[in-house]
Amino acid sequence: MPLNNNQIFKVEHLSKSFKKLQVLKDISFTVGKAKVYTIIGPSGGGKSTFLRCLNLLETPTSGIITFEGQKVFGPVIKGKAIDLKGELTSGLDGNDSKSITPNAKYKVLLKEPELNKMREKVSMVFQNFNLFNNKTVIENVTTGLMALKHKTQDQADEIAMKLLKLVGVEEKKDDYPIKLSGGQKQRVAIARSLAINPDVILFDEPTSALDPEMVKGVLDVIKQLAKFGMTLVIVTHEMSFAKDVSDEVFFMDGGYIVEHGAPEDIFAHPTQERTKHFLEAVL
């Protein structure tokens, strides 16, 4: 199969269970370069779990995840990776393909160094910021630059200051997170994610922990990233933001993608009753 150079993620029939609770049920999803995807829906519908499965912070239960043409999670039989039709994808000729059996196991197909390299390209901004509280603002941004990108202190400081200026908190560079407002913390978290120059940024409800007056500033920063042509996948409860910024909107509920499409279609002309009821309740 020819490699689609514009495709970052391809997700096929993904599921995730926590013991007896199935949170994701048969999710298929494609992420193209320089596009903005928003995922909306009620709480508990599986949105955040899906994001964490994308970068393998959570290990899915079944399905296939392909990242930039490389299969990173999927089924194996006797150590050989197979596709969902049971055809072996490497190591055997066409006469040796077989159906998936109960012996097939689903696993992460990357070794730890490869997984770390992937995560350098897939940055994530969390709803609760996840800053290093024992480091200053600028140190929060430079740590990854030096550890992952092997920048010198001077190089890292220069890049960090440009990013802190971009997100509007350069004057806080020597403060510790405890001195920052929630909106300022989230801006620092965005700067930290940008520092490693990722191919895609995943945003997990980036404004849900913020006071209402701080929400607009953070959303404006994300809109600016979209204008720069960055690839973004955003779980959000901010409907007007999703409508404005998205190339494609996905409505998720009960572990399924119920409906997806262009924002003007989803918000103005939803086709599924569940989508209609949700939007009527929140708009």
Side-chain angles (χ1 to χ4, degrees):
M1 181 181 296
L3 175 63
N4 183 346
N5 290 324
N6 290 319
Q7 192 177 90
I8 292 183
F9 276 112
K10 183 178 181 182
V11 177
E12 302 170 77
H13 305 291
L14 198 73
S15 73
K16 172 62 179 178
S17 296
F18 296 96
K19 295 184 178 180
K20 293 184 179 180
L21 177 63
Q22 189 172 11
V23 179
L24 299 179
K25 306 167 185 175
D26 197 18
I27 300 289
S28 295
F29 191 106
T30 300
V31 175
K33 285 185 179 178
K35 300 288 186 182
V36 178
Y37 302 84
T38 54
I39 305 173
I40 63 172
S43 297
K47 304 183 301 297
S48 294
T49 298
F50 173 64
L51 278 197
R52 293 177 66 85
C53 285
L54 268 185
N55 66 357
L56 300 174
L57 288 177
E58 293 284 358
T59 302
T61 302
S62 63
I64 287 178
I65 300 175
T66 303
F67 175 70
E68 295 186 341
Q70 180 181 15
K71 190 178 294 184
V72 299
F73 176 85
V76 297
I77 292 180
K78 296 180 181 179
K80 301 284 188 180
I82 59 178
D83 64 20
L84 289 178
K85 295 179 181 178
E87 296 177 348
L88 291 152
T89 58
S90 62
L92 295 174
D93 63 36
N95 295 324
D96 289 314
S97 64
K98 60 182 71 176
S99 298
I100 289 181
T101 71
N103 294 325
K105 295 182 178 180
Y106 290 83
K107 61 182 290 187
V108 176
L109 303 174
L110 302 178
K111 296 179 180 178
E112 194 66 26
E114 297 172 310
L115 184 56
N116 290 335
K117 286 291 184 184
M118 173 190 163
R119 287 181 178 151
E120 288 181 31
K121 297 180 179 181
V122 185
S123 194
M124 190 162 182
V125 176
F126 299 88
Q127 54 186 302
N128 292 319
F129 323 125
N130 284 21
L131 298 179
F132 300 116
N133 290 322
N134 63 336
K135 296 181 182 293
T136 64
V137 163
I138 193 169
E139 288 170 343
N140 265 275
V141 180
T142 58
T143 296
L145 282 165
M146 292 188 289
L148 301 175
K149 299 299 184 182
H150 309 296
K151 300 294 185 182
T152 66
Q153 183 72 64
D154 288 344
Q155 290 171 330
D157 285 345
E158 182 180 356
I159 294 170
M161 285 307 300
K162 288 179 180 178
L163 293 173
L164 292 173
K165 185 175 183 180
L166 174 69
V167 300
V169 290
E170 69 272 24
E171 75 283 358
K172 300 291 184 180
K173 67 182 182 69
D174 295 321
D175 288 350
Y176 287 88
I178 195 172
K179 290 188 174 183
L180 304 181
S181 69
Q184 290 167 338
K185 289 178 183 178
Q186 196 60 290
R187 289 169 186 244
V188 175
I190 293 171
R192 183 178 62 180
S193 292
L194 289 169
I196 59 173
N197 194 27
D199 292 349
V200 57
I201 302 181
L202 312 179
F203 288 88
D204 184 12
E205 299 187 25
T207 60
S208 65
L210 303 183
D211 292 334
E213 66 267 24
M214 299 176 184
V215 169
K216 182 179 183 300
V218 171
L219 295 182
D220 285 345
V221 170
I222 299 173
K223 287 180 181 179
Q224 191 173 3
L225 301 183
K227 290 178 181 178
F228 291 160
M230 296 202 66
T231 306
L232 310 176
V233 182
I234 309 164
V235 169
T236 183
H237 290 294
E238 302 291 336
M239 296 299 111
S240 60
F241 166 74
K243 185 176 181 180
D244 289 345
V245 79
S246 305
D247 291 294
E248 193 164 1
V249 177
F250 287 74
F251 173 67
M252 185 180 288
D253 186 30
Y256 292 100
I257 292 174
V258 177
E259 185 170 1
H260 67 93
E264 55 269 24
D265 294 329
I266 295 297
F267 287 103
H269 307 289
T271 61
Q272 301 299 312
E273 287 301 317
R274 183 65 188 93
T275 313
K276 293 177 184 177
H277 291 158
F278 173 78
L279 292 174
E280 287 171 359
V282 299
L283 291 178

